[in-house]
C-alpha cells in the first residue's frame, strides 16, 4: 500500500469520527412506518431475534460493518469490535483486505479480528484483482475469513437490475450499501489533502447525495431473492426493524459502531444492548415474535421512498406490504 | 400498588400538566377539511348534539378521558370532572382501577367520581388480570361503573385488523386512542427517574412518534362497525366534529380537561362550553343539524392521512367521504 | 340599523384597512400555473379584455366587490369606487342594502354610487328578508340596482352541490366568495368588542381557515354552467387571469380596492391600470387575445388545489384543463 | 440601436454579474435523480462525451449561451468565450445580432467571436425582422454564423404544442430556454431605470417565476423529435447529465460562463474542466460510456416536475424513463 493510500485510510477514520459526514437530508428511514398492533400478542422476553445468514445461525440480525482496516493505529478499534462480535454472536465486517495482501506490515490490524472473535461470522472486503492474487500470498490467511461472496456496495446502493446481475454472477448475498449514511464522496471532500484541489472537493459536495437510499435498495434488490444486508444510514433499533420488515436478513451499522469501538469495548456492548432493546420494542408493538414474523407485519411507506418505488414499478409491492395482515385475514375468512 | 407505581402515576399527572408531552409534528387533524355549505340550512339553536352510545343517550358526543386516578392528591381533579359530567350529561373516563383494587387507601380518589356524578356514564379502565380478580375484592364497587367492555388503546391507535379482532372477541365499543396527543413514551422519557436510565429515556424519545394517528384509526377501525371513541390529540370542537364526521360516536379529550380540572370546576365548564360552541359552528357551516347528519356531510382528506389510508386500501372510502352529498344528489336526480 | 350593527360595520372597514385579516397560508392561487406559449401569437395592444355578464358588456372582467356601505363615513370610499367603475366600465359591488332600507339616514352612502356611476353595472347585496320588504320602502330605489339575482358567498366558498342548488333556485349568477382573502371570522375576532369575549374571539381564530379556496370553488361551481364571479384572495392581474382560465366570467377584488379608495380616486385608477396590465401579460404569454381564448388555454393545477379537486371527482377535468391545446391539436391532425 | 437599447444591454450584463437574478425556488433539476449502477461498467478515461448537433461533431455536449453582445465594453467577454469554444470544440452562442445590423459601430463586439473561434460552431440570435433585413446590410457577415435555424426561448420555456409548431415551421433544432436560470423579468425589474416605474418593476417581480422549468421543457419538446438544447438554470455537470438523460442533445449554460469570461480566459477553461469532470462522474456512476448510453440510462423524476408532467399526459413516459434498463432486461430474458 502506498503511503498516500495508507494516509487516506487513517484520514477516513479520523474524519468519520470527528465530523458529520452523513447526508443530512436523507430521511428515508422515517418514510417507513409500522402499523401498531394494539393487542399484546408478544412477550418481550420471548422474542427470538436470531437469523440464518448463508448457513450461519446468528443471535442477532445485526452486522457491524466496520469502515476501517489496514493501519496499525486502528488495531484497538478492530479488537473491540471483534470481542463484541464473539460475545453477542454477531456478524462482523473487517474492511478491505487489499492493504494486508500488498503490505504485510499492516496485517496485524486485521489478524486481531479472528484472534478475538474465533467463532464469529466475519465478512471481509476483497476487490476482484485481490481475489485473483490471494492464492499466491502467504501473509494473509484468506481461507479463515472468506466463505461466500457477499457483493457489497459502499454508499450509493444496489438497484433492481444490478441485484439480478449479481445473482446471475453467482454471489451468495448482497450488502446493498445504500445512500443515507456516511458518504464516501463527503469524506473524500473533507480530507485535508483534497481541499487543496477545489475541483475534486466540489465534486465530493455535488455528489454527496448521489445514490439510492437504503430502504429503496432493500425493496429493489429484493427481486433477486438473495439474502440481503441493509447497510446505510441505519441509526437505531427501529431502523433495524424497518429494514428487516422490508426484506433484509442482516442490517449493517458502520459509523455508530466505529465511534463506540474507538472509545471502548464497553461502549460497543452498550450500543448493542440499546439497539437490540429498541428493535425488540418495534417487534413487540408490531406483533412479531421472530424476524420471520417481522417480515410479515404491515408497514406503510410514504414520502420520497414511495414516490421513487412507485415510478420504478413497485407500487403493487408497497400496497401489499401495507396490507399483509389484511390479506392473511381475508384468506382465513374465505 | 407499589410506591414506585404510585409515584409514577403522580409524576405522569405533573408532567402532563407542566410540560408539552404531545407529539408536535402530528398534524393529522388538519388533514381533515369540511366542505363548506354556503346556504344556511341549519339554525344554530336547533342543532341536536346528542348521541346514543352503548344504549345510553348522552347530550354531547364528548368523552372526558381523564388520565388520572389512584392517588389521593388527584381527588379534587376527579371531583371537578365528575361534577361537569353530571351537569352536562357527558361520558367520563375514570382511569385505571388497578390501584384501587390492590391498594384500598387510594379508593376515595375514584369513589369521588360516582359520588359527584351519580347519573353520568362512566368508563373505567380495568386490565384483564384485574377483571378476573374483581369479584373477590370488596374495596371497589366495580358493578357501578362497568356495564360493557370498551377496548381502549392509550396513544398508539387501533388498526383495521385489531378492530376486527376486538369485534370477534365481543367488545361493545373501541376507544381508538391514536397517536397525536399525550405520548406515554414521551411522558415516561420525561420522568425524573427515567432520565437516569439513558437507555429507557432514549427509547421513549425514539418511540415518541410511534403509532397510528387518531383520524386514521377512526377510518381503519370503522370497518368493525362498532361504536368508536376517538381519543388522541383532539384539541378543539372543530377536531371533535372532524372525528364524528369520519365515523366516531364519541370523541375523547384527555389533557385539556385534566388541565382545566386541576384549576377548578368552573374551568372545566368553560372548556366544555367552548368546545361545544366550536363544534356547533362546524355543524352549522357543513349543514348538519344532528350528529347523524354530520356523519353524512362531505369531508376532504389530504396529506399524510390520505397517503396512509390510500396505501392501506381505503382510497375508495376517502373518495366516497368527499362526495357523499354528490352521490345523494345524483341518486335523487336519477 | 341598531347602533351595534352600525358600529360593527365601521369597525370592519377600519380593521380591513389597518390589519392583515387575510388567511396567510392559503396559497391556492399559486397552485395554478399557465403553460407558457413561446411564440408571440398575440399583440399586447390588440388584446380584448371585454366580457358579457348577465347581458351587460363590460370592458374588463373585473368586479370591485366593495366591503362597505351603510355608514356616512364611508361615502367618500364609495364615491371613489363609483367614479372608477363609470370611467373604466367596470362592475361594482355596493355592499349590503339592509342598512339603507331600515335606516334612511345612511342612504346617501349608497346613493352616491349611482350618482357617480350612472351607467356602471352595480351589484347590491340584499338579504332574503330585505328582498321581501323592498317594495314598500321609499327611501331606497332598489329598481335602479337590482336587475338579476347574483348569489354571493362571503369568504367560505360555494361547492358543487350548492352551485347546483342555486341554479335550481333560479339565480342568474354566482359569486363564489371563496376562502383566501379577507376573513369575516378573522375580522370579527379582531374587533375590539369581540376581544372581551374570549370564546368568540377563539372561534374566529379557529375558523379563520374554514372554507373552500377560491380557485377550487370556480372549478366546483362551474358544474352549474352559470356565470361565475371569482372573489376571494385575488391580489394581482395574474390571479385574475388564473380565475378566468379556470372558468370565471368576472373576478372580484375587495380589499385592494377598498384600500385604494380610502386614499383617493387616483389610487383606484392606478390599481386598475396595474392589474389590467398584469392580466394582459398573462394573456399574451399564454397566447390568448380574448377572455374566451384565455378560457381555452392550458393551465396546470398542482398542490393542495389538485389534491382537493382530485378526491372530489374533478381529476379528469384538471387533466383536460392541462391539455386543452393538445386535444385541439390532435383533433386538427385527425 | 438607440441609446436606450444600448444602455439596457450593458445594464443586463452588469445586473447578471452583480446580482442574483435567478428564480430561487425553482429546484426542478434536483427532481431528476439517476439510478446508481453499482458495478463499474465504465472506465472514466474511456467515456466519449462527443455529440453530433445539426451535422456538426462536437467534443462536448455543452453550449455556452452567452447573454451578451452589441456593446464595445463586452468585447473581452466574447473573446474569452470564443477562445474556449475553439480550444474545446464547443458550441457558442453569440447573442442578438440586431445591434450589429442596425448599428455598425458595435459590430466588432461580435466579429471578435469568429476571429478567435474560426472553427467553432456558433449560434447567433436574429429576430425575424432582422432575418429579412440581413441581405441588404454589409456591416455584418451573417453567412458566417447562420447555418440552420435554432428556435430559441429565453427563460420561459417551450411546451409540447409549441415544439410541434416549430417543427412544422421547419426549424432544425430548439433551445428550450426554460425557467430556472437568469430571469429576464427579474433583470428588467432590477434595472435602475425600471425601478422608477413602479408598475413595470412590479410586473417583473410578479412574473419572475413565470414559465416552464427547463427539465419539463426537455420532456415536453421531446415530442417533436428535433435536436434540443437545454438551457435554463443548469449549474453543474450533474445538471448537464440530467438534461442529456431527459433527451437533450446540447446543454446550455449562460450565467456561469458569462461570469467566468468577465474574469479571464483561464476561468472559462477552469469552469469547463470542472463541469466536464462532474458530467463524467454522473456518466460513470450511471453506467454510460457515451451520451447515447446516458440517454438510455434510468432516471427517477419526482416533485413538482413529476406533478406537472403527469397532468400534462407524460406519466407513461416518466415511468418508462425510470425503467429503461428493466425493459431492456425483460426483453433480453424473453
Amino acid at each position: 500500500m502506498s503511503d498516500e493510500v495508507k494516509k487516506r485510510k487513517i484520514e477516513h477514520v479520523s474524519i468519520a469520527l470527528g465530523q458529520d459526514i452523513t447526508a443530512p437530508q436523507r430521511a428515508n428511514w422515517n418514510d417507513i412506518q409500522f402499523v401498531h398492533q394494539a393487542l399484546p400478542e408478544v412477550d418481550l422476553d420471548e422474542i427470538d431475534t436470531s437469523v440464518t445468514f448463508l448457513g450461519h445461525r446468528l443471535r442477532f440480525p445485526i452486522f457491524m460493518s466496520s469502515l476501517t482496516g489496514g493501519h496499525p493505529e486502528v488495531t484497538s478499534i478492530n479488537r473491540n469490535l471483534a470481542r463484541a462480535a464473539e460475545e453477542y454472536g454477531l456478524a462482523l465486517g473487517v474492511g478491505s483486505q487489499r492493504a494486508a495482501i500488498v503490505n504485510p506490515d499492516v496485517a496485524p490490524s486485521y489478524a486481531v479480528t479472528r484472534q478475538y472473535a474465533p467463532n464469529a461470522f466475519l465478512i471481509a472486503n476483497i476487490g476482484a484483482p485481490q481475489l485473483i492474487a490471494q492464492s499466491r500470498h502467504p501473509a494473509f490467511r484468506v481461507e479463515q475469513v472468506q466463505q461466500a461472496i457477499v457483493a457489497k456496495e459502499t454508499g450509493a446502493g444496489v438497484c433492481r437490475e444490478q441485484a439480478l446481475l449479481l445473482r446471475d454472477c453467482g454471489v451468495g448475498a448482497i450488502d446493498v450499501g445504500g445512500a443515507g449514511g456516511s458518504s464516501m464522496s463527503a469524506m473524500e471532500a473533507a480530507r485535508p489533502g483534497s481541499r487543496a484541489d477545489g475541483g475534486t472537493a466540489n465534486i465530493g459536495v455535488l455528489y454527496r447525495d448521489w445514490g439510492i437510499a437504503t430502504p429503496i435498495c432493500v425493496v429493489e434488490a429484493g427481486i433477486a431473492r438473495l439474502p440481503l444486508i441493509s447497510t446505510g444510514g441505519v441509526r437505531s433499533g427501529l431502523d433495524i426493524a424497518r429494514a428487516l420488515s422490508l426484506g433484509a436478513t442482516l442490517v449493517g451499522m458502520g459509523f455508530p459502531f466505529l465511534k463506540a469501538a474507538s472509545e471502548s469495548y464497553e461502549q460497543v456492548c452498550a450500543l448493542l444492548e440499546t439497539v437490540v432493546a429498541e428493535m425488540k420494542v418495534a417487534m413487540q408493538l408490531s406483533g412479531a415474535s421472530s424476524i420471520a414474523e417481522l417480515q410479515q407485519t404491515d408497514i406503510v411507506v410514504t414520502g420520497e421512498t414511495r414516490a421513487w418505488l412507485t415510478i420504478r414499478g413497485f407500487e403493487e409491492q408497497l400496497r401489499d406490504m401495507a396490507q399483509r395482515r389484511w390479506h392473511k385475514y381475508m384468506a382465513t375468512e374465505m
Side-chain angles (χ1 to χ4, degrees), chain A:
Chain A
M1 180 162 65
S2 70
D3 279 2
E4 172 55 26
V5 172
K6 206 187 293 184
K7 184 159 159 269
R8 186 177 297 191
K9 276 196 173 293
I10 196 73
E11 276 173 7
H12 274 181
V13 174
S14 304
I15 289 163
L17 293 173
Q19 302 188 25
D20 176 15
I21 40 72
T22 59
Q25 85 282 30
R26 292 277 187 173
N28 293 68
W29 286 114
N30 290 331
D31 286 347
I32 319 298
Q33 291 173 271
F34 284 97
V35 178
H36 175 71
Q37 302 297 320
L39 292 172
E41 304 168 358
V42 175
D43 186 334
L44 207 58
D45 296 332
E46 289 176 5
I47 287 175
D48 176 7
T49 61
S50 68
V51 288
T52 300
F53 182 76
L54 295 175
H56 293 254
R57 196 73 189 168
L58 300 165
R59 280 169 54 208
F60 300 103
I62 297 170
F63 170 56
M64 298 190 296
S65 56
S66 165
L67 288 170
T68 188
H71 199 278
E73 293 184 27
V74 301
T75 304
S76 72
I77 290 179
N78 285 354
R79 187 177 54 231
N80 291 336
L81 293 170
R83 282 182 64 193
E86 185 71 16
E87 172 69 20
Y88 287 87
L90 298 179
L92 174 65
V94 294
S96 170
Q97 304 304 311
R98 181 170 161 245
I101 291 169
V102 299
N103 190 354
D105 72 336
V106 301
S109 75
Y110 298 110
V112 68
T113 306
R114 184 49 87 204
Q115 182 186 340
Y116 284 89
N119 302 299
F121 183 67
L122 302 186
I123 301 177
N125 296 355
I126 304 179
Q130 280 69 43
L131 208 57
I132 295 160
Q134 68 180 27
S135 58
R136 61 182 185 267
H137 209 294
F140 188 65
R141 290 170 296 158
V142 170
E143 70 277 10
Q144 280 192 342
V145 292
Q146 197 216 340
Q147 299 178 11
I149 293 178
V150 179
K152 177 181 172 68
E153 235 288 322
T154 55
V158 173
C159 68
R160 173 175 50 189
E161 290 74 21
Q162 296 283 347
L164 291 170
L165 193 54
L166 290 167
R167 184 198 62 186
D168 295 347
C169 293
V171 308
I174 299 173
D175 184 339
V176 299
S182 305
S183 160
M184 294 306 281
S185 305
M187 263 195 256
E188 196 60 25
R191 277 202 312 132
S194 68
R195 285 195 191 285
D197 177 356
T200 309
N202 283 343
I203 288 188
V205 171
L206 183 64
Y207 282 90
R208 187 184 175 118
D209 302 326
W210 178 276
I212 311 167
T214 312
I216 292 174
C217 296
V218 175
V219 175
E220 290 224 351
I223 204 168
R225 304 208 172 279
L226 290 175
L228 296 180
I229 306 178
S230 167
T231 308
V234 174
R235 290 294 175 263
S236 71
L238 178 54
D239 290 346
I240 293 173
R242 286 162 165 159
L244 295 167
S245 188
L246 287 169
T249 299
L250 288 187
V251 183
M253 288 175 81
F255 173 68
F257 280 114
L258 182 66
K259 194 162 192 293
S262 74
E263 297 174 22
S264 68
Y265 166 68
E266 286 72 24
Q267 283 296 310
V268 178
C269 296
L271 176 59
L272 269 169
E273 299 281 356
T274 297
V275 297
V276 166
E278 289 168 349
M279 181 184 73
K280 282 186 173 177
V281 170
M283 294 178 72
Q284 185 188 37
L285 297 181
S286 60
S289 62
S290 69
I291 305 302
E293 284 183 22
L294 187 60
Q295 290 169 338
Q296 288 305 315
T297 201
D298 289 356
I299 43 174
V300 169
V301 177
T302 57
E304 283 299 295
T305 307
R306 179 151 147 195
W308 176 295
L309 287 168
T310 297
I311 208 160
R312 287 274 290 169
F314 295 91
E315 193 167 20
E316 277 310 303
Q317 193 166 331
L318 292 187
R319 197 171 289 271
D320 179 64
M321 283 180 172
Q323 303 188 43
R324 290 191 278 222
R325 282 172 177 262
W326 176 244
H327 294 151
K328 200 172 160 190
Y329 179 90
M330 294 297 281
T332 313
E333 293 291 293
M334 287 187 293

